[in-house]
């Protein structure tokens, strides 16, 4: 089972990395899934992923709060809207268009219900007077 989880984690992480560059592929769900799968299969790779500069923050937020930061949510919503809008535009069959709209609405309602993780307070620099 560990080998299967590692293989699925690798595929999921690859799709997540591709999603960072392709507008039709989401990044966040694939990275979260890969963190879960590597947590079951390889503690070393899971630790690397959780401490990664790009992906570690969203994984930590999800594990601690089951939510996303506001800027991550905004970016994901824009990418979902653009990719679904483009797909609806290019698909010629109206039945598929209706299915895409219904899928988008269901995904949007679920996504908007995810809690927002509060931003950490900005650190104020202490000023010293001469």
């Amino acid at each position: 089972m560990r080998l299967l989880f590692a293989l699925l984690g690798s595929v999921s992480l690859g799709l997540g990395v591709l999603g960072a560059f392709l507008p039709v592929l989401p990044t966040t769900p694939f990275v979260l899934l890969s963190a879960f799968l590597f947590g079951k299969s390889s503690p070393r790779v899971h630790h690397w992923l959780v401490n990664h500069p790009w992906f570690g923050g969203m994984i930590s937020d999800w594990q601690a709060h089951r939510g996303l930061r506001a800027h991550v949510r905004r970016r994901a919503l824009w990418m979902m809207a653009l990719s679904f809008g483009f797909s609806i535009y290019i698909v010629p069959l109206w039945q598929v268009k209706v299915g895409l709209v219904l899928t988008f609405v269901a995904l949007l309602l679920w996504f908007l219900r995810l809690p927002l993780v509060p931003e950490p307070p900005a650190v104020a620099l202490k000023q010293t007077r001469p």
Side-chain angles (χ1 to χ4, degrees), residues 38-113:
F38 284 128
K40 299 279 186 191
S41 64
S42 173
R44 185 176 58 85
V45 178
H46 180 262
H47 181 276
W48 171 80
L49 194 57
V50 169
N51 293 303
H52 193 274
W54 288 356
F55 306 125
M58 82 172 89
I59 295 169
S60 298
D61 289 341
W62 184 259
Q63 289 177 339
H65 306 286
R66 291 291 185 245
L68 302 170
R69 301 226 181 244
H71 70 277
V72 173
R73 180 194 270 185
R74 266 192 311 276
R75 190 177 323 133
L77 287 171
W78 272 108
M79 296 312 289
M80 282 185 342
L82 289 173
S83 63
F84 270 94
F86 180 71
S87 298
I88 292 166
Y89 175 74
I90 65 168
V91 169
L93 302 172
W94 68 269
Q95 298 93 334
V96 177
K97 288 181 189 251
V98 169
L100 284 169
V101 168
L102 293 175
T103 303
F104 175 67
V105 169
L107 184 61
L108 185 66
L109 291 175
W110 171 79
F111 200 73
L112 289 174
R113 292 186 61 191

Side-chain angles (χ1 to χ4, degrees), residues 8-25:
L8 292 174
S10 299
V11 170
S12 179
L13 183 59
L15 290 172
V17 170
L18 280 175
F21 302 104
L22 298 174
V24 296
L25 200 60

